[in-house]
Amino acid sequence: MNEKPIPTEITLHKAKHLLEIAYSDGQRFLLPTEYLRVFSPSAEVRGHGPGQETLQVGKEDVNIEQIEQVGSYAIQPHFDDGHNTGIYAWDTLYDLGVNYEKNWQDYLERLAAAGHQRKTPAHEV
């Protein structure tokens, strides 16, 4: 039986705006809080169906204030911009980690196509 990997460690690095997640299969991901915010699984970001996504802009300096565990299957980050409706299942976080480069490039291209220029966040200066 092929069991899905589950997190063995979740660490929020607030000063670096990163969420570090280690999985049972040995994978380890460093996910920027901005990335997690703009790819939130919430209806506010993803909509209620294909093509209803809302491009998130101006999230360069967003951070996570706290994280709540949801049952034994997910976490719910509370972002400092007030967003707290995204529930990130273990599979979702794993997918975001594995596909970070592709997702991030797609996001930057969508920003550019919409005429938005991403500023360099204070924590990256």
Side-chain angles (χ1 to χ4, degrees):
M1 186 169 163
N2 222 357
E3 290 197 25
K4 293 182 179 180
I6 58 169
T8 57
E9 180 184 338
I10 299 174
T11 306
L12 177 60
H13 302 282
K14 275 190 176 184
K16 295 180 180 179
H17 292 235
L18 291 171
L19 185 67
E20 183 176 6
I21 307 172
Y23 273 84
S24 57
D25 66 352
Q27 287 278 17
R28 181 176 293 271
F29 306 112
L30 285 171
L31 304 175
T33 54
E34 177 186 5
Y35 173 67
L36 291 168
R37 175 62 179 86
V38 302
F39 282 94
S40 172
S42 69
E44 174 188 331
V45 174
R46 295 209 178 165
H48 293 284
Q52 295 183 358
E53 299 85 5
T54 301
L55 180 63
Q56 302 296 299
V57 298
K59 303 300 179 187
E60 296 89 346
D61 288 317
V62 75
N63 209 348
I64 295 173
E65 292 179 331
Q66 71 178 43
I67 298 171
E68 292 181 38
Q69 185 159 343
V70 178
S72 60
Y73 68 93
I75 58 171
Q76 184 175 14
H78 292 256
F79 292 91
D80 61 8
D81 68 350
H83 180 72
N84 64 0
T85 58
I87 295 177
Y88 296 72
W90 304 148
D91 291 356
T92 299
L93 288 165
Y94 194 89
D95 182 65
L96 287 170
V98 168
N99 295 299
Y100 171 74
E101 294 297 330
K102 179 192 176 305
N103 288 343
W104 189 247
Q105 192 57 45
D106 288 348
Y107 173 68
L108 295 177
E109 289 171 9
R110 285 186 319 204
L111 278 180
H116 292 282
Q117 185 169 357
R118 186 179 169 274
K119 68 177 180 114
T120 303
H123 61 277
E124 291 180 7
V125 176

